[in-house]
Amino acid sequence: MNPVQFYKCLADDTRLRTLLLIVHEGELCVCELTAAMDLSQPKISRHLALLRGADLLQDRRQGQWVFYRINPALEGWAKSILQETLQANRHFIEADLRNLIQMGDRPLRATLCC
Amino acid sequence: MNPVQFYKCLADDTRLRTLLLIVHEGELCVCELTAAMDLSQPKISRHLALLRGADLLQDRRQGQWVFYRINPALEGWAKSILQETLQANRHFIEADLRNLIQMGDRPLRATLCC
DNA sequence: GCATTATATATGGAAAATCGCATATTCAAA
DNA sequence: TTTGAATATGCGATTTTCCATATATAATGC
């Protein structure tokens, strides 16, 4: 993973918030990200496609939803930098997390299903 | 320091190499950076101005040279991320470091002067 | 089985931001 | 004053961003 490519992915408000939210929550679907950040679906979708194309994110379809998580194959230093960025900048996604908690009808994860 | 602004600074080939070279060497002047990366002076100068404007770099004039170093007041997490990026991507500036070593007539640092 | 709804993805194209060369200017030393 | 080095700026070219819209896919209702 080229470090410049990696940092280009982080150098955008929507993408960085998306990544930090996913690091914090483990896995999120598009509708949850839309609700958390209060942004249009196409906008989020386009940025997710970019992050997936750069191999930072992995997607998993479950029913009608597509869940995104950090690509487990991402190099260690890159994962570590995402973690460190979150720890030092929790305030950056504070409001988004509040929106997420207040969101009604959040889709259930497979792990919570029977 | 806004994390998006910080990562915008790292999301460019010239700027990231500049930062990693300075982290590695402690302090470098413009002519050394020009020789190491084999890039035009205006190009490097413009990027240095941007990094200084974002408070990532600090400059110090000594005689005819201006030396750049990481701003000591930079937040800890940001410094730490620069260090970690360097450790995991030494190859990224390997050729530049070779050019630097081969460079003749490198300006002397104040600490080496009488 | 078929239509409907909800969700995600893809694309055209305009607006904005970024980049980098060429050039001019500033500053300090000899 | 002249020279070497850094900084500033105009401007074209490229890249990025984002809205509007269209398409694809899966679940739901009849």
Side-chain angles (χ1 to χ4, degrees), chain A residues 84-85 88-89, chain B residues 1-3 6-7 75-82:
Chain A
E84 203 163 344
T85 303
N89 297 278
Chain B
M1 155 122 293
N2 179 316
F6 176 67
Y7 287 127
E75 292 175 36
W77 69 272
K79 279 190 208 163
S80 160
I81 275 170
L82 288 173

Side-chain angles (χ1 to χ4, degrees), chain B residues 52-91:
Chain B
R52 196 187 43 196
D55 283 332
L56 264 68
L57 291 183
Q58 198 183 52
D59 65 338
R60 167 177 80 87
R61 177 174 281 274
Q62 176 189 322
Q64 52 192 148
W65 301 288
V66 174
F67 289 93
Y68 288 88
R69 62 171 60 198
I70 301 295
N71 177 4
L74 188 63
E75 292 175 36
W77 69 272
K79 279 190 208 163
S80 160
I81 275 170
L82 288 173
Q83 288 283 355
E84 202 162 345
T85 304
L86 174 59
Q87 310 249 320
N89 297 278
R90 285 185 178 266
H91 58 88

Side-chain angles (χ1 to χ4, degrees), chain B residues 4-85:
Chain B
V4 172
Q5 281 313 111
F6 176 67
Y7 287 127
K8 272 189 203 292
C9 290
L10 312 203
D12 174 89
D13 193 78
T14 303
R15 289 198 294 270
L16 187 57
R17 281 158 72 197
T18 298
L19 286 168
L20 297 189
L21 283 168
I22 290 176
V23 167
H24 189 270
E25 296 292 308
E27 197 176 53
L28 286 172
C29 74
V30 179
C31 60
E32 290 172 319
L33 289 166
T34 306
M37 296 189 285
D38 191 27
L39 293 174
S40 75
Q41 175 272 318
K43 179 169 179 174
I44 291 179
S45 188
R46 176 166 287 227
H47 286 294
L48 284 173
L50 191 149
L51 292 173
R52 196 187 43 196
D55 283 332
L56 264 68
L57 291 183
Q58 198 183 52
D59 65 338
R60 167 177 80 87
R61 177 174 281 274
Q62 176 189 322
Q64 52 192 148
W65 301 288
V66 174
F67 289 93
Y68 288 88
R69 62 171 60 198
I70 301 295
N71 177 4
L74 188 63
E75 292 175 36
W77 69 272
K79 279 190 208 163
S80 160
I81 275 170
L82 288 173
Q83 288 283 355
E84 202 162 345
T85 304

Side-chain angles (χ1 to χ4, degrees), chain A residues 12-22 33 36-39 92-93 96, chain B residues 4:
Chain A
D12 174 88
D13 192 78
T14 303
R15 289 198 295 270
L16 187 58
R17 280 158 74 196
T18 297
L19 286 169
L20 297 189
L21 283 168
I22 290 176
L33 290 166
M37 296 190 284
D38 191 26
L39 293 174
F92 190 62
I93 57 166
D96 298 338
Chain B
V4 172

Side-chain angles (χ1 to χ4, degrees), chain A residues 4-107:
Chain A
V4 172
Q5 281 313 113
F6 176 66
Y7 286 126
K8 270 189 204 293
C9 290
L10 311 203
D12 174 88
D13 192 78
T14 303
R15 289 198 295 270
L16 187 58
R17 280 158 74 196
T18 297
L19 286 169
L20 297 189
L21 283 168
I22 290 176
V23 167
H24 188 271
E25 296 290 308
E27 197 176 52
L28 286 172
C29 74
V30 179
C31 60
E32 290 172 318
L33 290 166
T34 305
M37 296 190 284
D38 191 26
L39 293 174
S40 76
Q41 174 273 317
K43 179 170 179 174
I44 290 179
S45 187
R46 179 165 283 227
H47 285 293
L48 284 172
L50 191 150
L51 292 173
R52 196 186 44 195
D55 283 332
L56 264 68
L57 291 183
Q58 198 185 49
D59 64 338
R60 166 179 81 85
R61 177 175 280 273
Q62 175 190 321
Q64 53 191 149
W65 299 288
V66 175
F67 289 93
Y68 288 88
R69 62 170 61 196
I70 301 296
N71 178 4
L74 187 64
E75 293 175 37
W77 69 271
K79 278 190 209 164
S80 159
I81 276 171
L82 287 174
Q83 287 282 356
E84 203 163 344
T85 303
L86 174 59
Q87 310 250 322
N89 297 278
R90 285 185 178 264
H91 57 88
F92 190 62
I93 57 166
E94 216 171 71
D96 298 338
L97 285 175
R98 269 200 300 275
N99 288 339
L100 191 58
I101 289 169
Q102 287 175 359
M103 175 187 179
D105 293 331
R106 285 182 64 181

